[in-house]
Amino acid sequence: ITFNTDTPVLILTKGKKSIFKCDCSVDIKGAESRGIREVSEASLRSFREYLLLARTLNVEIPKEITSQIQEDFVALRKANPKLPEASMHLRMGCSRLLATTFLETNLTAKRWTYTGPLFKLLR
């Protein structure tokens, strides 16, 4: 029996590939462990409130941004006809996540444009 779920998961590995299927992978190079430092109770409370608020947000895509997304996708498909439609959905998802980190409820042109170079790193 197939049981579909939508559970957010972050996979951290030392190797190049994970044994788990994932939508995207980001290599982090040059990062050194700095150890765990003390965080005040007030800071922890602020982090928790931020994460709770961010998880409840629903980011909408206004019509003018939808037009820009379509134009960008057409331009990308002209440059690379084999570009799958799923890649544009991934970029839209990344754009929504970026807007969420800023606690924004609407995707802006600034956030969409910002994810362009970021998206190239994810592919």
Side-chain angles (χ1 to χ4, degrees):
I1 297 174
T2 301
F3 187 72
N4 294 326
T5 60
D6 185 13
T7 306
V9 176
L10 176 63
I11 302 168
L12 303 173
T13 66
K14 287 188 177 185
K16 283 281 184 188
K17 291 191 175 186
S18 169
I19 61 172
F20 302 103
K21 182 182 179 290
C22 55
D23 293 330
C24 65
S25 170
V26 178
D27 292 332
I28 300 174
K29 297 178 182 170
E32 295 180 17
S33 175
R34 296 183 187 155
I36 299 173
R37 60 181 195 157
E38 279 292 315
V39 178
S40 71
E41 196 59 40
S43 292
L44 283 175
R45 191 172 30 260
S46 294
F47 295 151
R48 290 177 182 133
E49 289 172 1
Y50 168 80
L51 292 172
L52 181 65
L53 180 57
R55 285 195 67 168
T56 61
L57 288 180
N58 183 26
V59 178
E60 300 290 329
I61 301 178
K63 288 183 181 183
E64 58 273 6
I65 302 302
T66 302
S67 299
Q68 183 177 352
I69 291 171
Q70 290 172 346
E71 290 169 9
D72 288 352
F73 185 61
V74 168
L76 286 171
R77 286 297 284 266
K78 282 183 180 178
N80 181 5
K82 294 182 180 181
L83 183 71
E85 187 176 328
S87 64
M88 191 52 60
H89 289 290
L90 178 60
R91 182 175 173 193
M92 286 172 51
C94 289
S95 298
R96 280 189 160 131
L97 288 173
L98 181 65
T100 300
T101 63
F102 286 93
L103 302 178
E104 298 171 345
T105 56
N106 286 310
L107 181 62
T108 62
K110 180 179 180 180
R111 302 291 175 231
W112 173 255
T113 303
Y114 182 85
T115 57
L118 176 66
F119 177 69
K120 287 178 184 174
L121 292 173
L122 293 176
R123 290 191 291 166

